[in-house]
Amino acid sequence: MSEIKTHYRNCNICEAMCGLEIKYQDKEILSIKGDQQDPFSKGYNCPKATALQDFYNDEDRLKTPIRRTATGWEDISWDEAFAEIAEKLTAIQHAHGKNALAVYLGNPNAHSLGNAMFLKPFMKSLGTINRFSSASTDQMPHHVAANFMFGAGMLIPVPDIDRTDYMLIIGGNPVVSNGSMMTAPNVLGRMKAIQKRGGKVVVVDPCRTRTAKIADQHLFIRPEKDAYLLLAMIHCVFENNKVNLRHLAGMVEGVDQLAQLVKDYPPEDVAELVGIEASAISTLASEMMAADSAVCYSRMGASTQSFGGLCQWLTNVFNIITGNFDRAGGAMFPQPAFDLLRNHKKGHKSSFGQYSSRVRKLPFFNGEFPVAVLAEEILTPGDGQIKSLITVAGNPVLSTPSGHKLADAFDTLDYMVSIDIYLNETTKHANIILPGTTGVENSHFDIFFNSFSVRNTVKYSAPLFEKEDEQRTDWQIMQEIAARMTDTQVQKITPEMILDMELQKGAYGAQGMSLQKLVDNPHGIDLGPLKPCLEQRIKTADGKVNLFPALYRDDLPRLNKLMAKPARDKQYPFDLISRRLVKSHNTWTQNSDRLVKGKNPCTLEVHPIDAEKLSLVKGQIIRVSSTVGSVEIEVAITDDIQQGVVSMPQGWGHNQKGTRMSVAATQPGVSINDLTDADRVDLLTGNAALNGTPVALAAL
Ligand SMILES: Nc1nc2c(c(=O)[nH]1)N[C@H]1C(S)=C(S)[C@@H](COP(=O)(O)OP(=O)(O)OC[C@H]3O[C@@H](n4cnc5c(=O)[nH]c(N)nc54)[C@H](O)[C@@H]3O)O[C@H]1N2
Ligand SMILES: Nc1nc2c(c(=O)[nH]1)N[C@H]1C(S)=C(S)[C@@H](COP(=O)(O)OP(=O)(O)OC[C@H]3O[C@@H](n4cnc5c(=O)[nH]c(N)nc54)[C@H](O)[C@@H]3O)O[C@H]1N2
Ligand code: SF4
Ligand SMILES: [Mo]
């Protein structure tokens, strides 16, 4: 046995980028703790980090390619796998056109240096426009707002949580999720710090979440009504003549048009629909106006809904007109060391609407189509029909709306490949699964999350363990497929080479930023608090903020229609929303025993009054049905959920035959996305409307 060693790295599971200290001996991990010397996370970590060793040791995890045959899965060599894939995919593209091949990219791609670097050339080599990703079940409305208001989809403002005096959280549960589009390890600690310095935190959510319980105030809101709330608060700002653009005066266009528009949304008119009293709405607006610094942060709950586009636009508007934009304590822009916008030209025309999806005509944006149309694009015959698919680190059968129907669609494909570490609900439909290395076997650098971080920091993590000889990294797999599909040599380029170049050419390059500097500083380097930088970073052609882009004006009639809509469908009287759990990350971490053992967490939360009406008791198994499917699930009764709303966890449903996740199968739960409806989308951005799915409950 050799000596015990210590390795420092960032956790790659969620957006928080926690620094970890890992003790190990040979190839055995002895302990994983928060790295006290990480200048950003300062020793914080959540229970998921310790499971990194479980993923590393997991006997179910694939390490060599497998192929589906009539009698089951067989191991095959990498060479055989690549040869078959290239042959099949090329033949399909030859017969049906380049776009007959589609790609679905899942969430872990954003947490992988190699994948983030090599997806672009990979896509290029495949030559298809049919790219789909988890972004359209998540943050797409943020990108659209950033694109139309600030000129670049990646120029997304983040809440300056460490300096704000007032934080209004709409549809986010960062105490559990650890923050999203807001990289901030230990959100709980940061929230408490707001309170300690005399500030206030308010949460608007149909559920009294853990974040809501810590906050100074919680307001229940009816699902999918946030756009009205935001319009009414903005109305109050104009009504009180409190528009205060501060240093952005002269840089913001569309203020007068906006003033006209919001006249139609006084709090009194929206209160009933929103489920929040008019006086409470105007108080929220007054508090935002009065605080020395304030920030409105709206997230998943306000994005994955029918008006996600409007919500994210209005959130930016609210911050801008209350003088809380590009200023300490407000919504600010990070300046990452690896800047994805380094080569982004001012006035560059975005891809929004460059294409429309073939069947439903939903907009293409950011190089992709909304995943809600994937099943129909596979199933609808005609020119441009999708005949083959590659999934990369994604599990859309469990993660996308009407996932069970997508699974049926997969079975009609001519050929499917999955680059994935597990044989799961999605990859079991593939012809070949190619497993990359993962977690501690990989080097790590957070290209994306440094761009959404509440503090400018930078850190590189080397692999903890060398990969085994037969293993490949995801990026090497993509490189090899690309080379074979284009009949070229594999490029001799590594993620580290690109990273080093970007660091040297980036905003801190003049101060000596380089990969070597990061290697020499394994705990990471603090680059200081966010600074006002909108004037330097804005990418619109005229350098101005567009407060009222035409596409939002054009989307308002759709919202207004709802205002006049009669009482809801009696057949499906409840609104279903999803919740995140501290000990699971989306669909893939449930094969760790330490994370899933214990009580079944996959329960349907029902308000006591609703439970009484339906004579439901705690622990009872009931059927939940929607227009697209039904599941059987255990009831939990709690007044933390609003009456008329029910909630279940996302990412569960490991109860399917033919998968190989033996630990996950012991606590399988059911999939919420067997209930969510792929036809329910935010028509403006194409984002899936996961929240507010109409459902019915029935005792069995
Ligand atoms: N109803 C409802 N649905 C939701 C949500 C919700 O709140 N409610 N949330 C949505 C959100 S925000 C997101 S981001 C999506 C996530 O949707 P997906 O990205 O589709 O789901 P994940 O569970 O992240 O899938 C990760 C996949 O990658 C594999 N994997 C893990 N690590 C690696 C790796 O290192 N390399 C490779 N190649 N594969 C790896 C896993 O085995 C798994 O198959 O789900 C969305 N779906
Ligand atoms: N532990 C854990 N952490 C995670 C993940 C995980 O699976 N587990 N996933 C990661 C990923 S991929 C992401 S994108 C982030 C997401 O991070 P968050 O954005 O914080 O997402 P959620 O925790 O789903 O919180 C969404 C909240 O919106 C509320 N909500 C639902 N519908 C509505 C509505 O119509 N209006 C309003 N106002 N609220 C509504 C829900 O009750 C919920 O509390 O979390 C990341 N972190
Ligand atoms: S909060 Fe996220 S980044 Fe931090 S330890 Fe947990 S999973 Fe890892
Ligand atoms: Mo996400």
Side-chain angles (χ1 to χ4, degrees):
M1 275 263 169
S2 56
E3 60 180 317
I4 295 175
K5 292 186 184 148
T6 308
H7 169 84
Y8 298 101
R9 67 185 296 107
N10 265 6
C11 177
N12 65 298
I13 299 174
C14 89
E15 299 176 38
M17 311 196 306
C18 299
L20 303 176
E21 181 188 280
I22 304 180
K23 299 268 186 219
Y24 68 103
Q25 191 170 31
D26 297 321
K27 285 201 119 181
E28 193 192 344
I29 294 177
L30 303 174
S31 70
I32 301 181
K33 289 194 303 198
D35 177 4
Q36 300 291 342
Q37 297 174 79
D38 182 299
F40 190 32
S41 61
K42 297 185 174 148
Y44 175 82
N45 71 290
C46 87
K48 289 185 291 301
T50 32
L52 282 173
Q53 60 189 300
D54 302 345
F55 308 137
Y56 175 69
N57 294 323
D58 193 342
E59 286 182 3
D60 287 337
R61 178 158 70 91
L62 305 173
K63 291 190 174 163
T64 51
I66 55 173
R67 175 165 57 197
R68 185 159 48 85
T69 71
T71 52
W73 292 88
E74 63 177 12
D75 290 353
I76 52 169
S77 73
W78 284 100
D79 199 52
E80 203 183 341
F82 286 128
E84 179 182 310
I85 289 166
E87 188 207 309
K88 297 279 188 189
L89 294 181
T90 311
I92 290 167
Q93 285 192 312
H94 198 77
H96 305 284
K98 291 274 187 191
N99 297 334
L101 171 62
V103 177
Y104 172 82
L105 308 172
N107 170 273
N109 286 294
H111 298 271
S112 159
L113 169 65
N115 297 39
M117 297 278 197
F118 283 95
L119 277 169
K120 221 174 174 179
F122 178 62
M123 286 305 301
K124 205 167 162 214
S125 72
L126 302 178
T128 174
I129 60 165
N130 274 320
R131 191 180 100 187
F132 302 84
S133 87
S134 54
S136 56
T137 58
D138 188 347
Q139 82 283 5
M140 198 50 96
H142 296 251
H143 294 302
V144 174
N147 178 63
F148 284 97
M149 300 181 78
F150 317 121
M154 284 302 287
L155 202 53
I156 293 172
V158 300
D160 186 14
I161 187 171
D162 291 343
R163 287 179 291 182
T164 198
D165 299 302
Y166 185 85
M167 188 164 179
L168 174 58
I169 301 174
I170 302 180
N173 184 11
V175 168
V176 169
S177 70
N178 290 293
S180 179
M181 309 312 279
M182 169 178 78
T183 286
N186 191 9
V187 171
L188 175 63
R190 291 172 201 264
M191 262 175 67
K192 285 186 172 163
I194 298 177
Q195 295 168 322
K196 215 168 161 188
R197 57 181 180 264
K200 181 172 178 181
V201 181
V202 182
V203 171
V204 175
D205 199 300
C207 185
R208 192 187 298 115
T209 59
R210 282 183 56 184
T211 307
K213 286 176 187 170
I214 305 285
D216 300 274
Q217 188 185 359
H218 167 234
L219 294 157
F220 282 110
I221 185 169
R222 303 302 308 171
E224 300 198 292
K225 304 301 181 290
D226 307 83
Y228 293 110
L229 169 68
L230 285 155
L231 282 162
M233 292 191 298
I234 293 166
H235 168 100
C236 295
V237 180
F238 280 100
E239 215 30 48
N240 288 287
N241 281 319
K242 280 279 169 67
V243 173
N244 177 9
L245 300 175
R246 296 189 201 255
H247 66 297
L248 301 180
M251 235 186 113
V252 179
E253 288 192 322
V255 182
D256 295 340
Q257 294 93 309
L258 191 77
Q260 275 304 316
L261 168 86
V262 295
K263 282 199 174 125
D264 294 340
Y265 302 92
E268 299 73 32
D269 286 13
V270 305
E272 195 186 331
L273 201 64
V274 172
I276 300 178
E277 280 182 25
S279 61
I281 297 176
S282 40
T283 302
L284 288 180
S286 304
E287 288 176 346
M288 276 286 289
M289 293 182 264
D292 286 341
S293 69
V295 68
C296 176
Y297 163 69
S298 66
R299 202 39 204 107
M300 276 295 281
S303 291
T304 52
Q305 56 148 289
S306 304
F307 302 101
L310 288 174
C311 287
Q312 293 308 329
W313 162 56
L314 292 167
T315 300
N316 288 338
V317 166
F318 193 32
N319 286 322
I320 293 169
I321 63 165
T322 55
N324 290 300
F325 204 75
D326 191 38
R327 170 176 169 262
M332 301 189 79
F333 296 101
Q335 174 56 71
F338 184 143
D339 190 350
L340 287 162
L341 294 174
R342 192 173 65 79
N343 289 319
H344 192 109
K345 300 241 173 347
K346 276 195 162 79
H348 178 85
K349 201 173 172 316
S350 82
S351 65
F352 187 87
Q354 186 184 354
Y355 311 103
S356 296
S357 68
R358 194 173 57 105
V359 181
R360 219 190 305 173
K361 310 290 172 221
L362 288 183
F364 182 85
F365 180 57
N366 250 5
E368 61 185 81
F369 289 105
V371 73
V373 308
L374 179 53
E376 71 206 28
E377 292 296 328
I378 295 171
L379 293 171
T380 313
D383 233 19
Q385 182 183 4
I386 292 171
K387 301 274 189 181
S388 56
L389 176 73
I390 305 178
T391 66
V392 188
N395 190 0
V397 168
L398 294 192
S399 69
T400 66
S402 311
H404 56 313
K405 297 198 166 180
L406 186 58
D408 295 342
F410 287 168
D411 286 334
T412 71
L413 289 167
D414 289 349
Y415 198 72
M416 177 171 160
V417 180
S418 289
I419 303 179
D420 205 286
I421 55 173
Y422 286 116
L423 172 52
N424 66 18
E425 300 72 21
T426 292
T427 62
K428 74 172 189 173
H429 299 273
N431 296 83
I432 288 184
I433 306 176
L434 301 171
T437 52
T438 191
V440 297
E441 295 163 330
N442 289 341
S443 58
H444 188 73
F445 182 95
D446 282 287
I447 297 184
F448 290 107
F449 305 112
N450 281 311
S451 307
F452 306 134
S453 175
V454 302
R455 206 175 160 89
N456 292 318
T457 65
V458 59
K459 178 167 174 174
Y460 169 79
S461 320
L464 166 58
F465 298 129
E466 282 298 310
K467 64 183 171 60
E468 291 160 25
D469 282 346
E470 76 275 19
Q471 284 186 289
R472 309 244 176 161
T473 62
D474 281 349
W475 63 269
Q476 286 171 327
I477 294 170
M478 287 191 277
Q479 269 193 331
E480 183 74 42
I481 295 177
R484 298 217 186 199
M485 297 281 293
T486 50
D487 236 340
T488 52
Q489 292 291 314
V490 173
Q491 289 201 329
K492 289 206 171 4
I493 183 164
T494 64
E496 273 73 4
M497 286 154 90
I498 309 173
L499 174 62
D500 189 36
M501 182 201 67
E502 286 293 337
L503 291 172
Q504 295 196 39
K505 288 196 172 170
Y508 308 89
Q511 296 146 46
M513 187 57 69
S514 68
L515 182 58
Q516 188 56 50
K517 184 161 176 176
L518 299 187
V519 170
D520 294 341
N521 291 274
H523 305 288
I525 300 174
D526 182 30
L527 300 168
L530 305 187
K531 292 194 186 94
C533 59
L534 180 58
E535 215 177 324
Q536 298 88 53
R537 283 182 73 67
I538 195 160
K539 298 293 181 188
T540 51
D542 58 3
K544 297 204 163 140
V545 172
N546 189 355
L547 203 62
F548 198 0
L551 84 164
Y552 295 111
R553 183 197 59 215
D554 299 344
D555 197 34
L556 280 160
R558 196 168 62 92
L559 181 79
N560 295 340
K561 248 194 240 157
L562 189 82
M563 229 159 152
K565 202 173 122 183
R568 57 169 313 139
D569 188 346
K570 290 228 166 55
Q571 198 185 347
Y572 299 106
F574 291 91
D575 288 326
L576 175 69
I577 61 170
S578 33
R579 65 177 188 270
R580 288 188 147 68
L581 307 174
V582 173
K583 286 194 182 173
S584 64
H585 183 83
N586 297 339
T587 79
W588 69 272
T589 54
Q590 286 93 331
N591 218 42
S592 156
D593 186 49
R594 84 182 73 209
L595 294 184
V596 297
K597 70 175 174 222
K599 240 177 40 198
N600 167 30
C602 193
T603 58
L604 185 81
E605 292 191 346
V606 184
H607 189 275
I609 295 177
D610 293 327
E612 202 187 318
K613 273 193 211 152
L614 297 171
S615 308
L616 303 179
V617 295
K618 177 176 170 251
Q620 178 181 356
I621 307 290
I622 63 162
R623 178 168 293 127
V624 184
S625 340
S626 73
T627 49
V628 303
S630 69
V631 300
E632 289 175 15
I633 186 170
E634 183 184 327
V635 170
I637 299 173
T638 168
D639 65 2
D640 286 342
I641 191 95
Q642 194 180 32
Q643 216 182 314
V645 180
V646 290
S647 129
M648 62 186 275
Q650 59 96 25
W652 294 75
H654 297 293
N655 51 356
Q656 295 192 17
K657 286 208 181 72
T659 60
R660 201 183 290 167
M661 291 181 75
S662 51
V663 180
T666 62
Q667 184 77 280
V670 290
S671 176
I672 186 171
N673 289 320
D674 289 353
L675 296 169
T676 56
D677 182 350
D679 284 342
R680 292 185 76 247
V681 294
D682 170 24
L683 283 174
L684 180 69
T685 63
N687 212 39
L690 303 167
N691 303 324
T693 299
V695 293
L697 316 187
L700 287 175

